[in-house]
Amino acid sequence: MQDKYAKQLREFCLMDDTFMSKVFEEHNKLLELILQIILKRKLTVISSSIQKERKSVNGHFIRFDIHAIDNTGKEYDIEVQRSNEGAIPQRARYNSAMLDSGMLKSGANYRSLKESYVIFITENDIFGKGLPIYTIKRTILETNKFFNDGSHIIYVNGTYSGDNDIGKLIHDFHCINSTDMNYKPLADRVSYFKNTKGGKYIMCKIMEELAAEVKRDTA
């Protein structure tokens, strides 16, 4: 294990893409916790994947940070973004379209299309209103009624610090020490990768491989 990677690992939090991906990999119960807090309802995640790629008909690739499906068939794309540019409305629109594009099988009725959720957890308050969550739904302007197509886009404000469930979750996403975290399942998983020999080896190995890949690409 190289010292430079061990030092970098100590500074990681869940807002860091590399670390976040490993923490949530193959861990449906953690995803359930996150989604239940954000959406304020019970759900059961039955499958999930990390850094899942999907290609459009025009050949453009996107990579979902976290893709999850619950027991009712609803699909979720969770994106953690430190950069405002990575969470622009056009990105949300495209991710939503790509999430939907993989749902229907050939010949299926459009009414069988399940609800989809694109959720951005952003480091900054993208909309600048101090709210913990911003929920975007299509609306019929003339009637001021929701256009209930089942598509949902949600932004979680990473600067929010309220003393409630979502505030505690955002706090945990910024913690570099597991002992400072509110939610034990998250704290235990973070502690494994930061404080155990096996977890630290896994993370440092990943960082070493990523550094080698970047070096090859820039050579």
Side-chain angles (χ1 to χ4, degrees):
M1 184 187 302
Q2 298 187 28
D3 288 343
K4 64 177 180 179
Y5 297 125
K7 182 179 180 180
Q8 187 178 353
L9 174 58
R10 287 195 293 271
E11 299 302 315
F12 272 162
C13 68
L14 291 174
M15 292 301 299
D16 293 291
D17 184 65
T18 302
F19 188 63
M20 177 276 299
S21 295
K22 204 62 189 175
V23 167
F24 288 104
E25 186 178 49
E26 298 180 350
H27 216 293
N28 292 346
K29 288 299 181 183
L30 275 187
L31 290 175
E32 281 180 20
L33 173 66
I34 300 302
L35 290 170
Q36 286 174 3
I37 293 169
I38 293 172
L39 300 176
K40 297 181 180 180
R41 62 176 173 82
K42 293 288 186 180
L43 59 89
T44 302
V45 173
I46 60 171
S47 68
S48 62
S49 58
I50 304 297
Q51 302 296 337
K52 181 177 182 178
E53 288 190 342
R54 187 167 287 177
K55 185 171 74 169
S56 73
V57 293
N58 293 322
H60 182 77
F61 276 97
I62 67 165
R63 181 181 288 116
F64 298 137
D65 282 353
I66 301 172
H67 175 254
I69 303 173
D70 72 14
N71 61 326
T72 67
K74 295 182 179 71
E75 295 198 20
Y76 307 85
D77 165 35
I78 303 173
E79 301 288 327
V80 175
Q81 288 291 334
R82 305 201 93 155
S83 165
N84 288 3
E85 185 64 23
I88 61 174
Q90 291 86 348
R91 170 81 182 275
R93 171 187 168 188
Y94 194 82
N95 277 33
S96 180
M98 291 300 291
L99 193 61
D100 289 343
S101 70
M103 284 191 196
L104 284 185
K105 295 181 179 180
S106 178
N109 188 289
Y110 288 112
R111 291 187 181 278
S112 64
L113 190 67
K114 300 295 184 179
E115 290 183 70
S116 65
Y117 292 79
V118 174
I119 300 170
F120 284 95
I121 302 174
T122 60
E123 183 158 63
N124 302 312
D125 184 357
I126 297 294
F127 300 104
K129 299 299 182 182
L131 299 174
I133 288 177
Y134 302 94
T135 302
I136 295 92
K137 291 185 180 181
R138 290 186 176 93
T139 303
I140 303 170
L141 296 180
E142 290 77 8
T143 64
N144 200 31
K145 301 290 185 182
F146 287 129
F147 181 64
N148 291 313
D149 62 348
S151 174
H152 310 270
I153 296 171
I154 295 170
Y155 284 76
V156 179
N157 172 14
T159 69
Y160 180 74
S161 59
D163 186 21
N164 53 16
D165 289 346
I166 190 68
K168 291 174 182 177
L169 178 65
I170 293 167
H171 168 85
D172 285 3
F173 262 75
H174 287 278
C175 282
I176 63 173
N177 297 315
S178 61
T179 54
D180 296 329
M181 299 176 77
N182 295 292
Y183 292 100
K184 189 176 185 301
L186 274 177
D188 289 345
R189 187 72 168 157
V190 166
S191 180
Y192 170 74
F193 286 110
K194 288 203 169 203
N195 301 319
T196 72
K197 183 177 179 180
K200 287 190 286 187
Y201 175 82
I202 291 170
M203 284 306 308
C204 289
K205 187 68 175 176
I206 290 171
M207 287 186 281
E208 186 176 26
E209 291 170 354
L210 287 174
E213 184 178 329
V214 169
K215 187 175 181 179
R216 287 194 301 269
D217 291 344
T218 57

